[in-house]
Amino acid sequence: MNQRKRIIAGNWKMNKTREEATELSSALVSALSGQEDLPEIVLCPPFTSLQTVVEKTSLSPVAVGAQNMDWRDSGAFTGEISPVMLLDLGVKYVIIGHSERRQFFGETNTTVNQKLKAAIKHSLVPIVCLGETLDERENNLTDAVVSRQIAAALADIDATLLAELIIAYEPVWAIGTGKVCDAKEANRVASVIRKTVSNLYTGVDIGLSVPILYGGSVNPKNVDEQLAQPDIDGSLVGGASLKPEEFLPIIQAAQNRARLAASGT
Ligand code: PEP
């Protein structure tokens, strides 16, 4: 049976003022209060609302993540935010290598590797994003692309440091487009990622133990089929994480899956 953690993470992207962030996080916290069998729930607001959301979610089952960070601790890097600053705010998770960062802000496999090392050094839980573009998929390059991305992300990182690693498989063509990846295909790619990770390390099967999330147009209607896949442990949700009426049923789908697994069904 799958013993990996189930995780539902919401990437708010560049949305929500502090007032709106207060409203959304408070609504989620009150709806989730007292509930059992919840997955790990991570809200990733913009930097400007991190402190607000950390405060609103304290003493709740909800954790907070950043959407990005620099890999250096401090210095003359105008506009950047360091891991030390995130920890200072009470942030626990950090998204690394989101395709929008790769596409629009010059993130590369090398910077992903540097940021992953920095997250590990500071005990922030990294959610490393991978995924192919439409062009790469149409040219049958999906497996090669995700394998290259994960191998580069993990370069020179010892297996003993990867206990908290989370990977998100996010096909670029599925992000924000309403085109969800077929669940069985997402599961197949997730298993390719697992095998690649396993092949990078000898002696320990990180590939088997690492939680892999699917992301890309996840919504309350398609989430259950994704979560039913044996190699998919949760969701990284963009648009649908901005409204409680869409995000809560996604959390509930993971809760139902946990209950089914516990009952052996
Ligand atoms: C994302 O931002 O990681 C994402 C998957 O977005 P969406 O759910 O809107 O496709």
Side-chain angles (χ1 to χ4, degrees), residues 6-197:
R6 285 189 182 274
I7 300 145
I8 301 291
N11 173 16
W12 294 4
K13 313 196 189 199
M14 197 173 69
N15 292 294
K16 306 286 180 194
T17 60
R18 280 184 304 157
E19 194 180 331
E20 291 164 342
T22 300
E23 212 176 299
L24 175 52
S25 47
S26 304
L28 295 173
V29 166
S30 85
L32 296 169
S33 153
Q35 296 216 26
E36 291 179 359
D37 304 316
L38 287 171
E40 296 213 11
I41 302 161
V42 186
L43 304 182
C44 302
F47 289 128
T48 46
S49 291
L50 282 172
Q51 183 167 13
T52 304
V53 178
V54 166
E55 281 165 13
K56 293 295 156 204
T57 55
S58 69
L59 306 176
S60 86
V62 178
V64 180
Q67 299 173 16
N68 179 38
M69 67 173 191
D70 198 273
W71 64 89
R72 294 156 289 214
D73 289 1
S74 63
F77 303 105
T78 303
E80 291 300 292
I81 301 288
S82 84
V84 177
M85 295 165 183
L86 297 180
L87 285 174
D88 186 42
L89 289 176
V91 167
K92 295 213 164 59
Y93 291 75
V94 61
I95 298 175
I96 296 174
H98 190 280
S99 67
E100 287 154 14
R101 302 294 319 168
R102 294 180 191 252
Q103 217 177 331
F104 305 126
F105 301 100
E107 188 89 87
T108 63
N109 285 340
T110 305
T111 57
V112 168
N113 175 248
Q114 287 166 309
K115 291 180 183 190
L116 178 53
K117 286 175 177 160
I120 292 167
K121 174 179 157 201
H122 291 285
S123 301
L124 284 160
V125 180
I127 304 176
V128 174
C129 300
L130 322 168
E132 80 287 358
T133 61
L134 185 58
D135 191 51
E136 288 162 342
R137 173 159 284 271
E138 286 175 349
N139 285 291
N140 287 324
L141 292 171
T142 299
D143 297 7
V145 168
V146 296
S147 298
R148 193 169 60 233
Q149 287 173 332
I150 193 60
L154 296 175
D156 306 319
I157 301 179
D158 195 83
T160 55
L161 302 174
L162 294 176
E164 300 284 359
L165 173 69
I166 298 168
I167 296 173
Y169 168 53
E170 297 211 304
V172 179
W173 50 270
I175 297 182
T177 58
K179 289 184 199 151
V180 68
C181 182
D182 173 76
K184 290 207 162 44
E185 172 60 10
N187 187 68
R188 188 194 69 76
V189 181
S191 80
V192 168
I193 295 169
R194 285 193 195 289
K195 282 191 198 108
T196 308
V197 175

